Amino acid sequence: DTEVTQTPKHLVMGMTNKKSLKCEQHMGHRAMYWYKQKAKKPPELMFVYSYEKLSINESVPSRFSPECPNSSLLNLHLHALQPEDSALYLCASSQGAGRYNEQFFGPGTRLTVL
Amino acid sequence: QKEVEQDPGPLSVPEGAIVSLNCTYSNSAFQYFMWYRQYSRKGPELLMYTYSSGNKEDGRFTAQVDKSSKYISLFIRDSQPSDSATYLCAMRSIQGAQKLVFGQGTRLTINP
């Protein structure tokens, strides 16, 4: 199984809502990532979890809260978002660090904040 | 100056043409190089991954790395309409193993 899955595919939320994005992989990868991608721009790294510990936080606002319940799952909790947070949110995973560290991306969750 | 420069295009070519996509970079610490293909409203798909200078071939795709010139290329032979997508180059260093640096992406259209 060489797939990263993400749910939901689409999400529309108001600025006062609380919602969560979910990501799952069963490749035995030990690093998982959240990216944000705006239209016609490359993905921007938000968070990295390595061996279930947060290893990189790219100064993301606290209204985004990541969680890694186990090595296969990664969540992104959303609260009090702004319309400018509307974007494609991508999850990725990789084996770990080192030479064989290709990142494999999921299909993304398209988020619209009203 | 951006660490990775990639012409955003758009690039439009006829079916069957050879396509050349390029990125230049300024950070000599980059050692690992990737090409991703992204269809509209989908996640990026890893196409090629290489960590040495020279060519790497996979079917109709060839990745070329020239570390001395800090230049990487992706060639697509016998291009098909299904190759129409945005192509992103990405690279990383050994120290920044988990942090990919992406180019801006080149939007490619193959016309039947």
Side-chain angles (χ1 to χ4, degrees):
Chain A
D1 185 357
T2 58
E3 193 178 7
V4 176
T5 59
Q6 290 187 244
T7 54
K9 290 183 180 177
H10 303 276
L11 179 62
V12 179
M13 61 186 290
M15 289 190 284
T16 58
N17 292 158
K18 284 185 181 181
K19 297 286 185 183
S20 296
L21 309 184
K22 182 179 173 181
C23 173
E24 195 165 4
Q25 57 87 14
H26 294 289
M27 296 179 277
H29 288 176
R30 301 313 302 264
M32 296 185 76
Y33 310 75
W34 279 116
Y35 286 85
K36 173 183 177 180
Q37 187 178 27
K38 301 284 270 186
K40 299 186 179 180
K41 296 290 186 183
E44 296 175 32
L45 183 64
M46 299 174 72
F47 303 103
V48 181
Y49 272 83
S50 182
Y51 291 85
E52 299 159 51
K53 292 190 183 338
L54 183 64
S55 60
I56 297 178
N57 177 341
E58 291 287 284
S59 302
V60 178
S62 59
R63 57 187 185 266
F64 296 92
S65 175
E67 178 196 19
C68 188
N70 60 55
S71 59
S72 301
L73 279 175
L74 186 66
N75 298 321
L76 186 63
H77 303 297
L78 313 172
H79 174 55
L81 294 193
Q82 304 296 309
E84 59 264 28
D85 296 321
S86 298
L88 181 67
Y89 286 84
L90 295 161
C91 174
S93 71
S94 67
Q95 197 170 32
R99 175 179 286 189
Y100 303 106
N101 195 30
E102 307 100 295
Q103 290 184 27
F104 296 91
F105 284 82
T109 293
R110 185 155 298 279
L111 174 68
T112 303
V113 182
L114 301 176
Chain B
Q1 184 188 4
K2 292 178 184 173
E3 279 190 292
V4 179
E5 298 275 2
Q6 182 179 7
D7 187 339
L11 180 62
S12 182
V13 302
E15 184 176 356
I18 296 176
V19 176
S20 172
L21 304 169
N22 311 297
C23 290
T24 59
Y25 62 97
S26 57
N27 188 345
S28 57
F30 288 145
Q31 296 293 319
Y32 305 103
F33 306 92
M34 286 134 276
W35 285 96
Y36 286 89
R37 177 176 63 194
Q38 186 172 24
Y39 291 114
S40 181
R41 306 175 83 83
K42 301 290 185 184
E45 172 193 6
L46 182 63
L47 277 180
M48 301 289 281
Y49 173 67
T50 183
Y51 44 85
S52 55
S53 283
N55 293 351
K56 180 178 180 180
E57 192 173 314
D58 184 0
R60 296 185 295 111
F61 298 91
T62 299
Q64 188 175 79
V65 174
D66 183 347
K67 289 186 180 179
S68 62
S69 302
K70 297 191 181 67
Y71 187 90
I72 68 170
S73 298
L74 178 70
F75 298 97
I76 308 174
R77 290 186 300 279
D78 187 25
S79 56
Q80 306 293 312
S82 58
D83 295 327
S84 299
T86 295
Y87 290 79
L88 294 150
C89 66
M91 49 197 78
R92 63 178 179 86
S93 64
I94 294 174
Q95 290 78 14
Q98 295 176 327
K99 191 164 181 179
L100 291 181
V101 181
F102 285 91
Q104 285 297 106
T106 299
R107 194 168 175 186
L108 173 67
T109 301
I110 308 297
N111 300 304

